[in-house]
Every structure is written in C-alpha cells, then in structure tokens.
Amino acid sequence: SFVMPTGSRLVSAIFFAGFAWFLAQYVHYLMEADIGFDVNVDGMYTVFVAIGILCGWLLMGPRAGEGVSYAVQGGILTAFATVFWILLLFSIREMIFESMKGKYASDPYAAIIDVFRLSFENVIFFGTIPMYIYILVSGIAGGYVAEFVARRWR
C-alpha cells in the first residue's frame, strides 16, 4: 500500500532523492559545458529530487526484503525509472517554453509530438558512458541499501 511507511521505503526515498540531486548536478554541468544549449535550470533540482523521492518510495521500497537479487533488480529499475520521468518532465518543460515563444501556434498537436523529439534529443545529449555507469552503480547500491534496511528493521 502507498501510505504504509516502512524503513525500506523511507531509506529508498532518501537514497534516490540523493541520486536525483547528484544527477541534477551532472546535468547542470553538461548544460554549462555545452555553449549552444541554453535552458533555464531554475527549479530543476527540486523537481529531480521530488521524482527521486517518489520513485524510491513507490518502486524500490516495496521491493526490499524479498532477497538481494530482487532488490538489485528493483534498484536498477528505480534508477532508470527516475531518469525516464526526469527526462519526460524536462522535455515537457522545454516544450512549454518553446510554445510560449509561439512555435506551436499553428499546430497544437505538434507540441505533443515534439515532447518525444525533445526526449530523444535529451537522451542523446545526456546519454554518456559516465551517466550510464552512474545510473547502474547507483541502482545496485540503492537495492543493497534498501535490502539491508528491510532485513534490519523488520
């Protein structure tokens, strides 16, 4: 159930909030390093952390306590799900900024389709080898931490 707090849910939410915060730091670094990529990053950290908390609570927390391999799978799933939702919301945000400039005035359905184009561009831009390693290692670590807490605080 969603509202039943457990130690593993709390620790998973905190762990993946930290994961998302460091992810935001890396994304901000990549955006600053690329001169032609000017996106307003106000509020980006808060949204990243909120998504990390939700994914940790809803995805990783309930999977802890079923065994280490199940927890590691859940950690990797949670890490990639966090990145998926971050990319989707970030792309929707970019689309809204572009629509405010009048880009989709003639065809509002193009705005919806453009979200997927922006998501794909963001995957290409942010999809570096260090990013994938960070996601995998963090997911595995998050799974181990959640499993340890679930076994410790029964």
Side-chain angles (χ1 to χ4, degrees):
S1 76
F2 173 71
V3 293
M4 184 64 186
T6 62
S8 62
R9 283 183 185 228
L10 177 64
V11 170
S12 296
I14 293 169
F15 182 90
F16 284 100
F19 162 76
W21 187 80
F22 282 110
L23 186 68
Q25 293 286 326
Y26 185 64
V27 167
H28 192 189
Y29 166 76
L30 284 177
M31 288 189 315
E32 283 182 348
D34 185 30
I35 310 253
F37 197 77
D38 86 357
V39 171
N40 187 0
V41 293
D42 293 338
M44 181 176 72
Y45 295 102
T46 307
V47 172
F48 277 34
V49 169
I51 291 171
I53 289 171
L54 283 172
C55 286
W57 186 273
L58 295 174
L59 296 175
M60 186 62 239
R63 285 177 170 75
E66 302 290 328
V68 175
S69 65
Y70 195 59
V72 168
Q73 292 170 8
I76 293 171
L77 169 78
T78 304
F80 277 102
T82 302
V83 171
F84 168 79
W85 287 111
I86 285 171
L87 280 172
L88 184 64
L89 288 177
F90 197 68
S91 299
I92 290 171
R93 183 175 181 264
E94 285 184 56
M95 182 272 301
I96 290 171
F97 283 151
E98 289 181 10
S99 69
M100 289 180 177
K101 296 177 186 173
K103 181 176 179 181
Y104 308 113
S106 63
D107 188 13
Y109 294 109
I112 296 169
I113 294 169
D114 209 31
V115 167
F116 298 104
R117 181 191 61 81
L118 291 168
S119 294
F120 182 72
E121 286 178 2
N122 286 333
V123 166
I124 299 298
F125 181 75
F126 298 125
T128 61
I129 298 298
M131 177 73 80
Y132 291 127
I133 291 171
Y134 172 68
I135 294 168
L136 279 174
V137 170
S138 296
I140 292 168
Y144 275 118
V145 168
E147 182 65 22
F148 174 77
V149 169
R151 288 183 182 191
R152 188 85 168 153
W153 291 343
R154 284 197 179 230

